[in-house]
Amino acid sequence: MRELLYLEVPTPKVTAVCDWLHHEWQPPVGKKSLASDGLRITLPGQTELVIAVWSLQRTTYLKVFSWQESGGTVSAVLQSLKRGLDIAYPLHYQRPPETKATDTSIFETLSHDYPETVRYFQKMPRGEYDLNRVYWWEKRWREQVQNPSIPQVIISKAPNQSLDRLDYDIIYVGGALGSIHAAAMAQRGYRVLVIERLGFGRMNREWNISRDEFQTLIDLGLFTKEEFESFIAREYQDGFSKFHDANLPASRHGETLHTPTVLNIALDTSSLLAACGHKLTAAGGEIWDETEFLDGQIAQNGVEINVSTLLTGQRKCVTGRILIDAMGTASPIAWQLNGRRTFDSVCPTVGAVIEGLAPEVWDSKFGDVLHSHGDICRGRQLIWELFPGSDKELTVYLFHYHQVHPDNPGSLLEMYEDFFSILTEYRRCDLADLTWKKPTFGYIPGYYSTSGEDRQTAFDRLMAIGDSASLQSPLIFTGFGSLVRNLQRLTVLLETALTHDLLQAEHLSQIRAYQSNVSVTWLFSKGMMVPTGQTLPPARINEILNTFFGLLSDEPPAIADQFIKDRTDWWTFTRLALKAARKQPLILPWIYQMAGLTDCLRWVWTYLLFSLDAFKNLLFVSWFPQWLERAQPWLEEKYPAWWLKALSFRFSLRKSGLRFPLSQQT
């Protein structure tokens, strides 16, 4: 039996599709025989086609089989079938309903469109509050994507106009990733204020990391090794990446990739943030939580911002030398600075912290780094993550790589409805037996940088970090891990800028943690996104993932570890890319179809810059860091702006062997 056609019908109503095949669609030739899960078509010459439909991931899939070679008659039937399905079941992108009167519960508002989401949020301790947060986050994201020309929240005062007072050195807006950097700067003697819209320490996502990545925080002196051990909720033995291959030929099946040192440590996020808050306040810093940023003005000597206390509505005005935007994808500052090119991609991510998954279903000594159990559904390739936490807790995520598009911004509510509906397909369990501790959700952004200057992450006396700056891994989209890996650079360069009052946009832009080896992997992440308005063969993305991760599984463990942690070098990347092209020659035209001509040309330019960067490393890495240490006394004193440039250049040199920061305090 030969498979002639495999496609998705983007609807969860598999029975309706079957009824359509039985009663509405008529093949141009042949006789239909009905079956419970499809039908048979007998064509002239005794050729027989078998059509089967089934449901998975809240969508419907269809395959056509035959025992004979296909010919013109068969092709006509297949074309008729595809045209009919496209008309009867077009792909559409659902929008959440508008909220009703203020006295209407969010559960009542969403119960019709998202019944499973409402059902299981009602089982969570703060379910109504958290579902309101999900709704707010999606609404805010949609508004920004569809209308990026939002009101100007940052303006410049008249030239030469100065502030009478400066309350703080650094003001951080955003208290999750922002609090980590704020604690490090407070410990270095700076007057720091953190403004957080939520209660301080409350997170929408959990954090995973590896020991060598967390070492950055220990080297900076923010935490001791003993404190780090106290933050560990669970350390698993191995992590797996495996993608669905049931609909691929056996020769294209992928091996499971083992990465025992990738995201293998689940942190007690509450304890970590509490420790950051304690260290920050102990060093003289302040935290204003449940406080919303409104707007700000840039003066010659500082920045003045207005905030509102959410509980009372009281407005406050506060000033500082520099403002750090750590508000993530919801940041109005990031959207103001970059407009429609604020983010190129996003991972709409949902999940929950749960208890009750039976040990025979999942062993807590292991984690799922990346896993798919089905093919493309309704314009998305859904991917799971699962990480063991403290005691019997597990954190489960569902996400997809997504092109930012005004017609299809990406939906958290739709993802949550998928999550609760198909969790039992991913891991065998009875949802009624699970304890739902809290939800985890967010929009994790991405940006395709072709150089260190193509995205504005700084303005005079203003700088973005974390998700606001699209500082994330293009493969696993971990903003926390990316920030931690770059925290030494951010801290040392910002301290240098503050010391010498180099706080104009031209100086602060040099602090951006651009990496050419991260940019060059962007095209790979494009190969995991279904472009808005396009329909791809259902198994396309899984085949790309199986091809590349299969190559990584054949490499020494250190290669996969370096690649996923954004540390790959030019030779390793080039060698793996060529191997992938040889193993599956169609991978290049596939990605071209998904990325388009413009992005492919941009990637060629990025690869050339990556190659130039590799040559630069070859020339400078063996001597420049040592020379810079010797030159620090005179270079920093006489030419502070050039000193900042030189430090930024040094941090761009990989494998320098220097772990501890150069600064006036070393």
Side-chain angles (χ1 to χ4, degrees):
M1 180 179 288
R2 297 176 60 250
E3 179 185 307
L4 303 181
L5 180 66
Y6 172 39
L7 52 81
E8 180 209 0
V9 186
T11 174
K13 300 176 181 179
V14 63
T15 302
V17 174
C18 212
D19 289 342
W20 180 86
L21 289 170
H22 289 171
H23 306 297
E24 297 186 39
W25 176 67
Q26 294 297 327
V29 293
K31 179 183 178 181
K32 293 198 304 186
S33 301
L34 308 187
S36 59
D37 56 354
L39 54 81
R40 291 172 178 263
I41 303 176
T42 304
L43 301 176
Q46 299 304 308
T47 299
E48 189 173 65
L49 301 181
V50 176
I51 301 177
V53 295
W54 72 97
S55 176
L56 188 70
Q57 300 184 135
R58 240 172 34 101
T59 193
T60 301
Y61 295 97
L62 177 148
K63 282 189 176 184
V64 181
F65 301 93
S66 176
W67 281 270
Q68 289 83 21
E69 294 292 328
S70 61
T73 303
V74 172
S75 297
V77 172
L78 298 181
Q79 290 299 323
S80 171
L81 178 62
K82 288 192 289 186
R83 283 195 303 268
L85 286 170
D86 287 342
I87 295 171
Y89 297 98
L91 177 64
H92 72 279
Y93 306 109
Q94 186 167 336
R95 300 172 181 269
E98 291 296 324
T99 51
K100 301 176 183 178
T102 55
D103 59 347
T104 302
S105 164
I106 190 68
F107 293 142
E108 183 179 344
T109 299
L110 301 180
S111 60
H112 178 267
D113 296 292
Y114 307 101
E116 295 302 302
T117 302
V118 167
R119 177 184 177 187
Y120 288 101
F121 266 84
Q122 288 176 324
K123 297 178 180 291
M124 298 185 191
R126 300 182 64 185
E128 186 171 8
Y129 172 86
D130 286 326
L131 189 53
N132 270 303
R133 284 283 301 159
V134 175
Y135 182 87
W136 175 89
W137 201 257
E138 174 158 344
K139 185 178 180 182
R140 180 75 170 266
W141 171 256
R142 284 180 175 273
E143 290 172 350
Q144 290 172 323
V145 172
Q146 294 169 345
N147 182 26
S149 300
I150 60 175
Q152 303 292 289
V153 294
I154 295 291
I155 62 173
S156 296
K157 286 180 174 287
N160 302 322
Q161 186 174 355
S162 299
L163 300 173
D164 295 332
R165 73 181 198 282
L166 293 174
D167 303 318
Y168 300 93
D169 292 310
I170 314 172
I171 300 174
Y172 291 82
V173 184
L177 295 177
S179 66
I180 300 174
H181 194 242
M185 297 305 292
Q187 285 192 332
R188 291 179 173 235
Y190 294 96
R191 297 172 299 158
V192 170
L193 170 66
V194 172
I195 297 170
E196 168 57 49
R197 192 177 189 278
L198 300 177
F200 184 79
R202 182 167 178 80
M203 281 283 295
N204 294 332
R205 301 200 303 265
E206 298 297 291
W207 286 339
N208 280 65
I209 201 166
S210 63
R211 285 185 175 274
D212 65 322
E213 291 172 308
F214 197 91
Q215 185 65 37
T216 299
L217 301 183
I218 297 174
D219 292 340
L220 279 173
L222 183 57
F223 297 114
T224 65
K225 292 183 178 179
E226 291 73 24
E227 286 175 316
F228 171 53
E229 296 297 328
S230 71
F231 299 147
I232 297 176
R234 174 82 67 169
E235 183 172 9
Y236 62 66
Q237 294 179 8
D238 199 359
F240 311 130
S241 293
K242 182 69 179 74
F243 304 98
H244 188 64
D245 54 18
N247 295 303
L248 296 175
S251 61
R252 298 178 187 174
H253 287 190
E255 298 293 329
T256 298
L257 175 64
H258 295 261
T259 50
T261 56
V262 171
L263 303 178
N264 62 306
I265 290 178
L267 295 173
D268 184 337
T269 308
S270 298
S271 296
L272 175 62
L273 289 178
C276 287
H278 175 74
K279 290 176 182 290
L280 190 155
T281 54
E286 293 185 43
I287 299 171
W288 295 356
D289 63 352
E290 298 186 328
T291 301
E292 185 169 27
F293 167 82
L294 299 176
D295 52 44
Q297 293 183 316
I298 305 295
Q300 184 181 29
N301 65 330
V303 58
E304 178 183 78
I305 68 168
N306 297 303
V307 300
S308 174
T309 304
L310 294 179
L311 294 179
T312 64
Q314 178 186 4
R315 292 172 65 103
K316 299 180 183 178
C317 179
V318 64
T319 61
R321 292 180 63 193
I322 184 173
L323 175 66
I324 304 295
D325 174 16
M327 289 184 281
T329 51
S331 167
I333 297 174
W335 286 93
Q336 177 182 329
L337 292 180
N338 294 281
R340 291 196 179 277
R341 283 227 65 205
T342 304
F343 305 112
D344 286 324
S345 67
V346 71
C347 276
T349 303
V350 303
V353 178
I354 62 174
E355 284 185 359
L357 200 62
E360 59 268 21
V361 175
W362 191 257
D363 191 326
S364 60
K365 297 193 294 291
F366 304 103
D368 255 352
V369 178
L370 297 169
H371 179 97
S372 65
H373 80 274
D375 291 328
I376 294 171
C377 72
R378 304 195 311 284
R380 308 155 307 157
Q381 176 60 67
L382 300 180
I383 298 176
W384 296 92
E385 290 183 314
L386 184 154
F387 301 114
S390 61
D391 299 325
K392 298 180 180 179
E393 288 185 354
L394 292 169
T395 303
V396 186
Y397 297 100
L398 181 66
F399 70 95
H400 65 99
Y401 298 87
H402 185 69
Q403 171 198 24
V404 176
H405 194 286
D407 295 336
N408 181 24
S411 173
L412 294 179
L413 289 168
E414 189 72 6
M415 286 289 289
Y416 257 127
E417 194 68 9
D418 285 326
F419 177 83
F420 293 116
S421 300
I422 68 175
L423 179 59
T424 55
E425 296 175 359
Y426 166 56
R427 293 296 165 199
R428 187 180 68 256
C429 60
D430 186 340
L431 298 191
D433 294 337
L434 300 179
T435 301
W436 302 91
K437 307 296 287 291
K438 71 172 185 177
T440 57
F441 57 91
Y443 287 101
I444 308 175
Y447 183 83
Y448 183 10
S449 296
T450 54
S451 70
E453 293 81 34
D454 66 342
R455 184 178 193 271
Q456 192 169 354
T457 58
F459 192 69
D460 292 350
R461 297 189 177 270
L462 186 157
M463 187 180 75
I465 65 172
D467 288 348
S468 297
S470 285
L471 185 61
Q472 88 306 308
S473 164
L475 292 183
I476 51 178
F477 271 51
T478 50
F480 170 65
S482 294
L483 178 78
V484 169
R485 288 194 288 271
N486 288 283
L487 198 65
Q488 186 186 52
R489 173 190 179 120
L490 295 174
T491 303
V492 172
L493 295 183
L494 179 58
E495 183 178 19
T496 302
L498 286 165
T499 299
H500 301 288
D501 204 35
L502 300 171
L503 300 178
Q504 304 307 305
E506 61 180 301
H507 304 302
L508 295 178
S509 295
Q510 298 171 36
I511 300 176
R512 179 185 177 189
Y514 167 77
Q515 294 176 252
S516 61
N517 62 329
V518 170
S519 294
V520 81
T521 58
W522 172 259
L523 198 67
F524 182 80
S525 65
K526 287 287 284 188
M528 293 185 267
M529 305 176 199
V530 180
T532 295
Q534 287 193 29
T535 300
L536 299 178
R540 172 66 51 81
I541 292 177
N542 275 322
E543 183 159 4
I544 293 174
L545 291 170
N546 275 299
T547 298
F548 197 79
F549 276 76
L551 292 177
L552 287 178
S553 67
D554 294 334
E555 296 286 329
I559 297 296
D561 187 271
Q562 292 170 7
F563 195 92
I564 293 176
K565 292 178 181 177
D566 305 332
R567 296 171 179 168
T568 188
D569 56 39
W570 180 88
W571 169 244
T572 301
F573 177 86
T574 302
R575 180 174 58 83
L576 289 174
L578 291 173
K579 286 181 67 175
R582 286 196 301 270
K583 183 176 181 180
Q584 176 48 277
L586 291 175
I587 203 168
L588 295 178
W590 288 347
I591 292 181
Y592 176 83
Q593 178 189 0
M594 299 161 76
L597 177 61
T598 300
D599 275 347
C600 285
L601 291 177
R602 289 172 65 198
W603 181 85
V604 172
W605 175 247
T606 303
Y607 180 78
L608 292 175
L609 292 178
F610 180 42
S611 302
L612 182 62
D613 192 47
F615 183 65
K616 175 195 72 176
N617 273 269
L618 185 65
L619 290 180
F620 288 94
V621 74
S622 63
W623 63 271
F624 185 80
Q626 293 76 20
W627 175 86
L628 193 60
E629 283 191 83
R630 295 193 299 270
Q632 178 178 359
W634 64 268
L635 183 59
E636 183 175 12
E637 180 181 356
K638 294 183 178 181
Y639 308 103
W642 281 101
W643 168 247
L644 180 63
K645 281 181 177 289
L647 271 180
S648 179
F649 180 77
R650 193 220 73 171
F651 275 105
S652 72
L653 298 175
R654 294 182 299 278
K655 299 182 179 178
S656 66
L658 293 179
R659 183 180 293 277
F660 296 95
L662 284 166
S663 77
Q664 64 275 9
Q665 295 190 17
T666 57

